[in-house]
Each structure stands twice: as structure tokens, then as C-alpha cells.
Amino acid sequence: MKSEELYALLRRRGFLWPSAEIYGAAAGLYDYGPLGHAFKRRIEGAWASWFLGLSEDYYRIEPAEILPEAVVRASGHLENFTDPEVTCARCHSSFRAETVLEKVRPAGVDGLSPAEIGKLIEENQVRCPSCGERALELPRPFNLMFGLDWGAAGKERAYLAPETAQASYLAFHRMWDVGRHALPLGIAVIGHAYRNEIAPRQVLFRMRSFTQAELQIFFDPTHFPLPFEEVADESLPVLRASDRANGLSAPRAVTARELVGEGGLPEFYVYHLAQELRFFRDVLGVPPERIRLLEKSDAERAFYNRLQFDVEVSVESLGGFREIGALHYRGDYDLTRHGTATGKELAVTPTNRPRLVPHVLELTFGVDRALWALADLGLEMEGERTLWRLPAHLAPVPVAVFPLLAKPHGEAARALVTTLRAEGIEAQLDDSGTIGKRYARMDEVGTPVCVTVDGETVDPAHPNHGTVTVRARDSKLQERVAIPALPARLARVGRFPRPRAER
RNA sequence: GCGGUUGUGGUCUAGUGGUUAGGACGGUAGCUUCCCAAGCUACCUACCCGGGUUCGAAUCCCGGCAACCGCACCA
């Protein structure tokens, strides 16, 4: 399906639409409608359930989304999230100053003022990489963070968080104090991140405000006990940086065990890579051949990341593999930076272990991107019929209830909805149009189960009195089920998978 | 940010200076005892925004906004 077709369908069904639309809309901002919101909550719930399920010591918090300037200075965002850009006066192309100057100054331009960069361009007679003219203008800084005036005097600055991770690092000392002084300690946040993208594109893939789900695992690199055997035989579709350097673009299937052995990756890292794969494949229902674990090279990843694999999903509407999640081994960079900046001691002494500054393993997940990818992957056009094959536990509407005929069966259908809701099943009534249209509507939004009340249900003389038809989305098959048996039958529909068998 | 293309009901679209702005799908209400988008009737909803030209603009011009494609960017 093409991107525009998919977007039209999502708009038509009220999943999402452009923000501030009656004012002509704002690029890079989208509002979620009822179905989009419900779907997104399901994805977030599935994520939380899976990754918080990895350990008893992983917790979810809800931090503020505004960061004082001192925080982003220490984190490096103030400096590194700013790219001086130069524009060619003749052909109007623009480039990062670093790119233009890479021949004359291979060390990069970090820390140079716009005037100093301009001087370098002038002295070295640098030409425009596009048209070859000497027409490059003075560079202007472009920071991807949204700055805020802070306080009445407006002298201090603050920023909308460009990633949710920073708040977790700031919360670490509190979490340590209130916890049981053991590593690993996990802090999960599902929240918004804000970036002033120059050119928002592709709807949910380049937004100015978006939702991240991130788990920061603080751990002792010399001691990270894990049930590695549980994932050792898992086959991972990895594309190593070294393979890419040799021109490979297809992933190779490598077991977790091999990735640690011959692959030379730390066990704790591979374990979480495997859990990422399982989450995308088994929880989100992404077909395995559409998942790729792509290792970022030294040049591609941020300098503080010692290891980085992106979890990529092949999305037809966006023309191929796109990053939805990532696994970053950030070492002790973050806690050390914040410790140095504040003068606070962020080293800890775990029970029966030597004192250390914990290392961080970051699991990050783009909720909006996942939403788009799942819609893209699941929607099938079968002639007139649009069918969304969505895992039942992710469906925005888990169960729909219809009266076969609105008048004679409407009351019984409404009563059934009430009964199901009392059992904690989010059933939704639809009594408009005809039965076939209702089935079609629900197929289009991925509702796995439709329940229909008919004449036999309400006829005390009929053998099928008190039973309803239960219709499965993918097969369209129906069967009659007694109403009292229905809650048990439907309870499984909304339950999120967990990473390990409950103990 | 740059260049190109485009902007008509919820969706897809017809209309290229004077139209009651047409259709299809959709939605709502009713009829039809009706389990997979059936039929019939009625109704609902639109010219992206702001200027200009003109007796008259959805239509032509300028500016803005937005989308798509390409370039650049995406620590």
C-alpha cells in the first residue's frame, strides 16, 4: 500500500489527522483520534508488559518533559544537537558545515563559532559541493531542540526534551534510594520527545512531537546475571557493520549463542537483542522476514554509544527497512556527565558488590512509527474488502457486538455489551446500517471478534435461545456460543504476552 | 531549508472566468424479519487561507500554509 493511501484510510477512520487543521495545519504535528489513541495505548501497553516483565527491578516512571538548560548542556545536546549549516547563495543548496569542511579540517567543527567557520571557508576558498561556485554564505546554527523562555525574567533557558532518556538519568539517584540497592535497575518511560525537524516528512516517521518508549537499564558491566539460555538458540536476523562494509545488505540468520561466541558481542547485549526480536515478532506480530537488526558503524553511531543495533522493519509504504527501535550500550557516559556537571556522586554501592558508576543499556522504541508500520503491514485489500490482520491483543476495538436487526434485537445487544464490560471486556456496540457493513467496518480496523445477537437469541422457544454467533475476523467463520460462556471465551483477546513464564 | 508538482464534501474525483459546483463511495434517518459493503426513499457534508485582477474567480496573478517527489538534514 502506498503511503498516501494508508494515510487516507487512517484519516477516514479517525485514527489520526494533522494538528491545527482548520488553520491550515502544522507540519510534523498530528492528533490521534479515538481509534488511533486506543491503538497507541495498546502498543504502549504491550511494550510495557514485555520489557518491564524482564525483571522485578524494572519500573515505570513519568517524568517532566521540559529540561533546564544545564541538563542539556551536560548531556551534550546543546552542543551536539546543533549543526551549523551553510547555504550556497547561487544554487540554494544547504549543507552541514562539517561536511563542507571535511577536507580542510577533518577534526570537525565542534566548538567553532559561525564567524570562525566562515573564516575557514573564506581562507580555503571552499566551493559549493553542489554547483562548484565559491558562493557559500555565513553559516547559521540550527539546533533541533525547541528552546523555551524560562521564568519571568526570561534570562534562563529550558528546552523541550529531545529524548525521554535524559529524565531517566536524572531520576536514577532517587530510584536508587527508594529501591533495594541492587543492579540491574531498570527505569522505563513512555513519553513525548520534541525535535524541531527542518523538514518533517512521511507522516508519523518524522514528527516534531512524538512518543518514545524507552527502558534504561543501569547495570554492573562485570556482573549482569541473565537467563541467557532462554534465548541462546534464537535465530537473529543481523546485519553486522562489518558485513555492510563489505557490501552486504541482507541480514544473516545467526543464533544468539553464535553472536556471543564468534560474534564477539557481550552476552547481556545479545540477550536484549533477542528480546527485542521476540517483541517485534511475537508481540507486535511483524513477520520475521520483515525484521532486520542493523548494526551501526563507528562513524554512524553517537560517540557515547559503544554498541548500537537498530531494529528495522520493512515498511512497504515507506519503501523498505525503517528504524522503529534501537538498542544502545551507552557505557557510563550519561551518569558520569551528569555527575561531573552537578558535582554529585552518582556512583553506587550495590549490596555485596564493589562501588561503581553503573553502565546503561538503552532500549528505545518509537511508538508512532510502530503504529504506522503495523497498519502498513496488517492491512490487506481483498477486492472490496479491507482486512486488517492485527494481533488480537493490539486491536483498538477488541470486541464488537451487533444486533442482527436494530429494532427487535437492539435491546438484547445493548444488555450484552453491558455484561461484557462488567467483565472487563471493552466491547463496542454497532447497530447502524446492515450486518454485512458492520462486519466490513470492523474488519477494516482489525477487530478480531464480532458477536451478533439474532432472533434465535431472544426467542425463548428456540433451541438456540441465549446463544449468540461469534465471528472470527480472518476466517469469517461463525459459531454459536452461550452468553454465559462468552466472557471466558473473550478474556484472552486483550491479554498482552509476557517475556517469561510467570513464576 | 532549496527546487519541482499539487490543493474541490469524511474519502476518491468532474468541473479551466458566469454551473442550483456534478458523480461515486461514505454517513444519518426510514422501509425491507436482513449473518458478510444488497435494494429503495430522503437527508448530510466541499472549492486550503489571505490579498489582487475583473462587472463577475473554484478557475487567472501574488503571498502564505499544507501535502507529494527530488536534494539536504534526521546528535
Side-chain angles (χ1 to χ4, degrees):
Chain A
M1 192 179 294
K2 283 194 290 193
S3 174
E4 282 168 273
E5 288 171 346
L6 179 56
Y7 185 33
L9 188 145
L10 293 174
R11 272 201 315 270
R12 181 161 55 76
R13 295 307 307 262
F15 276 82
L16 57 99
W17 51 76
S19 295
E21 203 175 5
I22 61 171
Y23 281 94
L29 298 177
Y30 295 88
D31 295 348
Y32 286 98
L35 288 175
H37 171 74
F39 184 27
K40 197 168 161 182
R41 289 289 92 84
R42 300 302 298 174
I43 295 170
E44 290 169 1
W47 181 88
S49 198
W50 186 260
F51 289 107
L52 291 178
L54 290 175
S55 164
E56 296 295 318
D57 290 312
Y58 293 178
Y59 305 92
R60 185 162 164 191
I61 65 169
E62 185 180 321
E65 295 180 347
I66 292 177
L67 300 171
E69 184 170 77
V71 174
V72 294
R73 186 178 294 122
S75 71
H77 286 89
L78 201 56
E79 188 184 350
N80 295 316
F81 226 48
T82 304
D83 277 332
E85 271 199 342
V86 292
T87 300
C88 172
R90 183 150 176 276
C91 70
H92 305 296
S93 307
S94 58
F95 310 89
R96 295 172 63 197
E98 189 172 318
T99 313
V100 174
L101 288 172
E102 62 188 355
K103 288 208 181 83
V104 300
R105 192 184 163 87
V109 297
D110 281 0
L112 293 187
S113 71
E116 288 168 324
I117 291 169
K119 207 174 149 200
L120 273 176
I121 291 173
E122 185 62 29
E123 283 171 356
N124 294 282
Q125 306 194 4
V126 177
R127 293 174 181 277
C128 170
S130 178
C131 68
E133 288 296 309
R134 283 193 55 205
L136 294 174
E137 296 173 339
L138 260 186
R140 38 195 173 70
F142 188 86
N143 193 297
L144 259 43
M145 289 193 293
F146 286 109
L148 301 171
D149 293 325
W150 187 246
K155 277 186 191 159
E156 290 179 74
R157 295 278 287 170
Y159 296 85
L160 292 178
E163 61 174 12
T164 58
Q166 292 306 318
S168 295
Y169 307 140
L170 303 181
F172 173 72
H173 75 288
R174 279 280 178 190
M175 293 294 287
W176 182 259
D177 285 346
V178 302
R180 54 187 195 89
H181 294 197
L183 294 178
L185 170 66
I187 304 181
V189 174
I190 298 177
H192 296 109
Y194 303 86
R195 295 180 189 180
N196 190 12
E197 295 286 353
I198 303 170
R201 286 285 162 92
Q202 298 178 314
V203 196
L204 301 184
F205 268 72
R206 291 275 295 277
M207 293 198 288
R208 291 190 162 125
S209 162
F210 58 99
T211 302
Q212 289 185 316
E214 298 194 315
L215 171 64
Q216 313 295 324
I217 301 171
F218 299 84
F219 67 100
D220 178 344
T222 66
H223 181 69
F224 194 157
L226 287 165
F228 185 78
E229 281 307 309
E230 284 182 16
V231 303
D233 296 321
E234 189 74 74
S235 173
L236 308 179
V238 293
L239 182 52
R240 298 296 304 260
S242 51
D243 288 341
R244 290 167 61 211
N246 291 330
L248 253 66
S249 62
R252 286 188 294 140
V254 182
T255 65
R257 198 190 314 277
E258 290 166 346
L259 217 42
V260 172
E262 299 135 49
L265 294 173
E267 195 174 273
F268 75 84
Y269 191 87
V270 175
Y271 174 80
H272 289 92
L273 211 48
Q275 293 293 3
E276 288 275 13
L277 171 70
R278 289 180 168 185
F279 175 67
F280 276 82
R281 185 191 60 199
D282 303 339
V283 182
L284 299 184
V286 178
E289 69 276 11
R290 289 189 172 270
I291 304 172
R292 183 169 85 175
L293 303 170
L294 180 131
E295 184 180 16
K296 289 297 180 95
S297 68
D298 292 355
E300 287 170 326
R301 62 175 188 263
F303 63 93
Y304 50 76
N305 272 338
R306 302 184 184 194
L307 282 170
Q308 175 180 348
F309 279 70
D310 285 351
V311 184
E312 297 190 324
V313 173
S314 178
V315 184
E316 189 191 345
S317 60
L318 298 174
F321 280 98
R322 300 297 302 257
E323 176 193 355
I324 310 283
L327 185 63
H328 301 152
Y329 176 27
R330 299 173 69 127
D332 62 358
Y333 173 80
D334 301 282
L335 289 183
T336 298
R337 289 282 292 208
H338 288 302
T340 305
T342 57
K344 297 222 170 24
E345 178 66 85
L346 293 179
V348 297
T349 310
T351 312
N352 300 326
R353 301 286 308 173
R355 188 165 179 77
L356 80 160
V357 175
H359 282 209
V360 169
L361 182 65
E362 176 186 52
L363 287 70
T364 175
F365 177 64
V367 178
D368 313 275
R369 287 181 167 191
L371 188 151
W372 180 275
L374 291 177
D376 179 290
L377 293 174
L379 279 162
E380 289 176 14
M381 316 297 260
E382 294 181 352
E384 279 276 278
R385 186 178 183 221
T386 304
L387 176 62
W388 189 349
R389 294 183 191 273
L390 186 65
H393 54 265
L394 297 179
V397 179
V399 178
V401 175
F402 310 145
L404 182 59
L405 298 176
K407 269 188 192 152
H409 316 132
E411 200 182 324
R414 274 188 292 277
L416 180 56
V417 168
T418 305
T419 304
L420 293 176
R421 286 193 179 159
E423 296 284 341
I425 296 162
E426 286 302 313
Q428 210 170 82
L429 183 81
D430 187 354
D431 61 359
S432 68
T434 59
I435 187 78
K437 258 186 190 180
R438 293 180 221 145
Y439 283 138
R441 269 200 291 257
M442 300 322 291
D443 285 344
E444 196 176 49
V445 300
T447 299
V449 179
C450 296
V451 175
T452 300
V453 173
D454 61 17
E456 299 174 5
T457 311
V458 297
D459 178 2
H462 198 279
N464 279 337
H465 177 59
T467 68
V468 291
T469 58
V470 173
R471 180 263 199 185
R473 178 193 63 203
D474 296 356
S475 63
K476 294 165 88 174
L477 294 176
Q478 298 181 184
E479 59 178 308
R480 285 204 89 90
V481 176
I483 289 175
L486 212 46
R489 170 73 181 266
L490 300 178
R492 238 173 304 126
V493 166
R495 197 168 293 159
F496 295 127
R498 310 275 295 180
R500 298 151 82 169
E502 300 291 33
R503 277 168 285 200

